[in-house]
Amino acid sequence: MKDREKPRQDTLYVASLEKGLRILEVFSEDKLELGLSEIARETGLDKSAAQRFVNTLHQLGYLNKNAETRRYQPSLKYLDMAYAYLWSDNLVQLAMPRLIELSRQIQQTINMARPIEQEIMYVVRIPGYRTSYGASVIGRRVPALTASSGRVILSRQDEATIHKCVNEWPLKQYTPWTTMDRGQILENILTARDKGYCMSLRQVLPDEINIAAPICTMDGTPVAAIHCSLPIIRWTLEQAEAEIVPHIVETARSISPPRP
C-alpha cells in the first residue's frame, strides 16, 4: 500500500476520511477477500481503528462480510463510483464511438488507458473473441513503464521527464519476457516518440503483441492511449506494424479532447 502524507497546513484535510478510503483501495485483483488483521496490516492502521472503519463501510454497504469466515470483500456498491466516473469523463464519451468502429474494422481487442500516478488504468475495454476475463475488466492498473500505453503516453513528454521516469518509476515482472532493463525501456519509448506509436511483445501477457498510440489535446498534451492486443500465434510484429498500426494511429489522432 502506498504511503500517504497529510498535505502541509491544509486545514480542510480530513484524516479519518483518508483512512476509510485507504481501506476501500486495499482490495485488488490479488487481494479479493481480506480479514480484519490483513486489512490492518495492509493499510498501516492499528487493528482497533481498522475494525471501526471496516464496520462502518460494511454498514454503509461498501463491504460484504462472509458470516462464516468473517472476511470482507468489495460489494456491488463499488460500481456506483465507476459508473459515475464513466459518465463524467468526457474523453470516454468522445472516444467510445471511434473505438467501437475501430474494433469492427480490425476485429481485435481494443482498450483505452488513462495515466494515473506512475501507472496506467484501463477505462475502456472492447474485447475480441479470445479475450480473457482479466483482460476485459475496466479499472485494471499496470505500471506505465511495462505497458505499451504507458510508454507511448510518456513518449509525448520532454526528454528530461522521460529519463527521470524511466529511472525512477516501478517495474513489474508479468511474464518471463517482461523487460526489466530500463535502458531497453528507454529505447522503446524514444522509438515510440519518433514513430508516433509503441509496439511491445509479451510484456503483460505471454501470448500478445501490443500496439499503442497516444491521444493528445490540441496543444500536444497526452491524456490517454489507444491500445490493441494481438495474438502472437496469428500475428508477427511486421504484419502488425503494416496492417494494424495505421488504424490505431488514425483513430487516436481523430480524437482531440480539450485540454483538461
Side-chain angles (χ1 to χ4, degrees):
M1 191 74 181
K2 292 187 282 292
D3 294 331
R4 284 196 178 95
E5 294 183 1
K6 177 181 176 180
R8 295 180 182 178
Q9 298 179 342
D10 187 347
T11 58
L12 298 178
Y13 189 85
V14 182
S16 58
L17 176 59
E18 181 271 325
K19 292 175 182 177
L21 292 174
R22 204 189 302 176
I23 290 173
L24 292 179
E25 292 175 352
V26 78
F27 294 92
S28 64
E29 62 185 274
D30 56 352
K31 297 183 181 72
L32 302 176
E33 190 177 73
L34 298 171
L36 185 59
S37 296
E38 293 168 306
I39 291 172
R41 183 179 65 250
E42 292 290 334
T43 58
L45 299 171
D46 64 69
K47 192 169 182 179
S48 176
Q51 185 177 35
R52 293 194 301 273
F53 287 115
V54 167
N55 181 65
T56 301
L57 291 167
H58 173 56
Q59 294 296 323
L60 291 173
Y62 286 100
L63 294 178
N64 290 331
K65 183 179 180 180
N66 186 311
E68 295 182 0
T69 65
R70 303 179 69 82
R71 294 170 70 80
Y72 297 88
Q73 61 182 180
S75 78
L76 190 61
K77 200 168 183 178
Y78 267 55
L79 281 180
D80 283 339
M81 293 179 281
Y83 182 75
Y85 164 76
L86 292 172
W87 274 105
S88 66
D89 188 333
N90 292 329
L91 177 57
V92 172
Q93 296 185 43
L94 177 65
M96 186 62 81
R98 294 170 173 83
L99 298 177
I100 292 172
E101 179 59 29
L102 174 64
S103 174
R104 288 172 177 164
Q105 283 182 337
I106 66 176
Q107 297 291 302
Q108 302 295 335
T109 300
I110 301 297
N111 304 306
M112 187 173 77
R114 287 278 227 165
I116 178 168
E117 299 166 349
Q118 298 172 345
E119 300 172 308
I120 57 97
M121 179 182 288
Y122 294 109
V123 296
V124 175
R125 312 203 83 169
I126 303 176
Y129 69 92
R130 58 175 295 280
T131 304
S132 65
Y133 175 73
S136 65
V137 179
I138 64 168
R140 188 185 191 191
R141 288 195 188 205
V142 177
L145 294 183
T146 302
S148 57
S149 293
R151 293 179 187 179
V152 84
I153 291 171
L154 190 54
S155 76
R156 300 295 96 184
Q157 303 289 348
D158 63 86
E159 187 139 351
T161 299
I162 293 173
H163 281 266
K164 178 178 172 57
C165 294
V166 170
N167 289 332
E168 298 178 2
W169 283 8
L171 299 171
K172 182 177 179 179
Q173 183 97 42
Y174 286 95
T175 77
W177 301 276
T178 302
T179 304
M180 302 300 287
D181 185 313
R182 293 180 186 271
Q184 291 182 24
I185 293 171
L186 175 62
E187 182 179 352
N188 188 235
I189 291 171
L190 295 179
T191 298
R193 182 183 64 180
D194 294 337
K195 290 188 172 183
Y197 59 89
C198 180
M199 298 187 69
S200 63
L201 180 66
R202 292 174 161 175
Q203 293 299 290
V204 179
L205 293 174
D207 59 348
E208 285 189 352
I209 295 170
N210 296 291
I211 303 165
I215 297 174
C216 300
T217 59
M218 294 297 291
D219 64 0
T221 302
V223 292
I226 295 177
H227 167 264
C228 175
S229 300
L230 302 171
I232 60 175
I233 195 171
R234 294 185 176 87
W235 293 85
T236 65
L237 287 170
E238 293 75 19
Q239 288 175 319
E241 191 163 31
E243 299 178 32
I244 300 298
V245 163
H247 295 285
I248 304 298
V249 171
E250 180 183 1
T251 301
R253 288 176 178 171
S254 74
I255 304 169
S256 299
R259 184 178 176 85

